[in-house]
Amino acid sequence: MKVLTVVAAVLAGHLSEGTMVTIHNDQPRIDSGTGLPLEASDGCLRQFGDKYYVYGTRYQACPQSDEKYCYEWGSNITWPMCGWRNMTVSVYSSDDLVTWKQESANAVPEMVTDPVTNNRNMAFFEPAVVYNKKNNNYVMWFVMQQNGDHGGQGVAVSDSPAGPFIVDKHAGYPVTTMNRSADLYLFQDDDEDQTVYIKHNMNGKPPGNYVSRLSPDYRSVVETSAPIENGTYYEGGGIFKRGSTWHVMFGKGCCFCNRGGSSLVYTSSNPLGPYVYQTSINQLLPNGSYEVPAQQFGVSQMISATGEKQFWYTGMRFGSGSVKSYDSQYWWPLQFSSN
């Protein structure tokens, strides 16, 4: 992976063949309605029909200087810690990945209105959305934590990619209760059933990363892999299939840090593993930062103007905004060797 702040990419789906746009990672993406930076931090980039969508955590608009390092739990922290409460999920749409329009600043209203599991006493982050063709609806998974000790994954459903998404409490809330649940990403296979897999990690005893197959309605877990790198706590990453090879990625933790994090790559012939380590694509520099100063939290599948599948590294640039809510995503088309 090269350190470039501006990416030129051939895009995608409905754009005319040969159309090129420039994707900027060196400046904030702007909401065309307000003229202000997008408030969509960790989350996902999706292509539904003729539009692109960014789903992201809308953190508090607090000064970066007030932000506490988010692994610091205990009596030394005054709650609600900057950036770790009162978040919502925002949605933006675009025709060209350059000009963005806000569709919602609160796409999951129950994060605010629920009397118990609300954003005043829990943290919600990393929304990931897929389209269920059979049911003609959009399914969102997200992480929920309470002071870093208890949590799991929530599920919400909408008839529109812009929301509102209604929490599915029949699936359980949270769906998977586990100690220190964190970081998830969804990938939809191109098989006949359009099976969806979720890559997720937990800082339990022992910690590990996992891949789970979801039910046909995408609202619950059917089966889960053995832990990948059992006993070591890694964060972020993603899952995707290229050809017949499945890839899982994750790396060293970088919660609210501006130095970036590693991106380790594991592959398998089966989505549920076993996975074998291959390489790391974001190298640590002598100054303690990484080539790309972002923490990866996904791989976005995009379709080029010629129909080619592209896989985009999608990361979070903590500390890149003038205030916490303006921290931006980092997008980079992955490149693959011939072997």
Side-chain angles (χ1 to χ4, degrees):
M1 181 178 291
K2 299 178 180 178
V3 188
L4 292 177
T5 53
V6 181
V7 179
V10 179
L11 298 203
H14 65 285
L15 296 180
S16 60
E17 186 171 352
T19 297
M20 295 191 71
V21 298
T22 300
I23 305 300
H24 284 270
N25 289 306
D26 61 338
Q27 55 189 256
R29 298 177 181 95
I30 300 298
D31 176 4
S32 60
T34 65
L36 298 174
L38 270 57
E39 295 182 296
S41 298
D42 46 78
C44 69
L45 172 64
R46 289 289 188 256
Q47 182 178 349
F48 295 131
D50 288 344
K51 282 189 177 293
Y52 305 96
Y53 291 86
V54 168
Y55 299 86
T57 307
R58 183 173 180 261
Y59 286 103
Q60 300 172 66
C62 49
Q64 299 284 3
S65 60
D66 291 347
E67 181 183 306
K68 301 293 193 300
Y69 189 59
C70 71
Y71 291 132
E72 295 180 358
W73 312 106
S75 58
N76 60 318
I77 297 298
T78 300
W79 293 95
M81 183 173 61
C82 171
W84 205 241
R85 286 293 186 271
N86 300 316
M87 62 271 282
T88 58
V89 171
S90 61
V91 183
Y92 294 84
S93 67
S94 174
D95 293 325
D96 57 9
L97 285 171
V98 175
T99 303
W100 293 95
K101 171 189 173 184
Q102 186 177 73
E103 300 287 351
S104 177
N106 183 22
V108 189
E110 287 159 285
M111 289 182 179
V112 177
T113 62
D114 191 279
V116 178
T117 51
N118 58 65
N119 64 2
R120 296 176 297 284
N121 60 39
M122 296 198 77
F124 300 93
F125 53 98
E126 290 191 12
V129 179
V130 288
Y131 174 65
N132 189 305
K133 183 177 180 179
K134 180 179 179 181
N135 295 332
N136 191 28
N137 59 20
Y138 298 83
V139 181
M140 175 189 293
W141 283 63
F142 53 87
V143 179
M144 48 197 301
Q145 284 187 358
Q146 187 173 33
N147 295 11
D149 295 324
H150 303 286
Q153 292 90 32
V155 177
V157 181
S158 176
D159 293 331
S160 166
F165 288 80
I166 306 303
V167 172
D168 181 6
K169 296 187 178 180
H170 292 91
Y173 194 55
V175 170
T176 305
T177 302
M178 57 179 68
N179 182 40
R180 294 293 295 273
S181 168
D183 294 353
L184 61 83
Y185 204 79
L186 302 178
F187 178 80
Q188 188 172 50
D189 197 2
D190 56 4
D191 61 355
E192 182 178 355
D193 296 327
Q194 295 189 318
T195 308
V196 169
Y197 296 87
I198 179 173
K199 179 269 167 193
H200 53 102
N201 71 290
M202 58 175 284
N203 189 15
K205 296 181 179 180
N209 278 262
Y210 301 83
V211 174
S212 294
R213 179 170 63 89
L214 299 187
S215 58
D217 63 4
Y218 307 161
R219 302 188 191 191
S220 59
V221 170
V222 174
E223 59 179 331
T224 300
S225 71
I228 307 168
E229 292 292 347
N230 193 28
T232 303
Y233 181 63
Y234 290 108
E235 287 191 340
I239 178 173
F240 65 99
K241 184 179 78 171
R242 181 174 180 265
S244 60
T245 302
W246 287 85
H247 298 70
V248 162
M249 301 175 69
F250 46 79
K252 291 289 182 69
C254 175
C255 186
F256 288 5
C257 79
N258 59 12
R259 67 181 182 276
S262 58
S263 294
L264 311 180
V265 182
Y266 297 74
T267 62
S268 175
S269 60
N270 188 301
L272 297 180
Y275 281 87
V276 177
Y277 173 75
Q278 299 297 334
T279 188
S280 176
I281 65 169
N282 196 13
Q283 302 304 315
L284 182 65
L285 302 176
N287 64 4
S289 295
Y290 285 83
E291 285 184 293
V292 171
Q295 181 182 15
Q296 184 188 10
F297 54 80
V299 177
S300 303
Q301 180 174 294
M302 311 297 286
I303 306 299
S304 74
T306 60
E308 174 194 5
K309 289 182 181 178
Q310 299 179 354
F311 301 95
W312 288 22
Y313 167 102
T314 307
M316 179 62 222
R317 293 189 61 215
F318 292 118
S320 60
S322 59
V323 294
K324 175 63 182 169
S325 62
Y326 291 164
D327 286 351
S328 61
Q329 296 186 13
Y330 191 105
W331 302 336
W332 178 271
L334 294 176
Q335 299 175 353
F336 298 85
S337 63
S338 57
N339 57 357

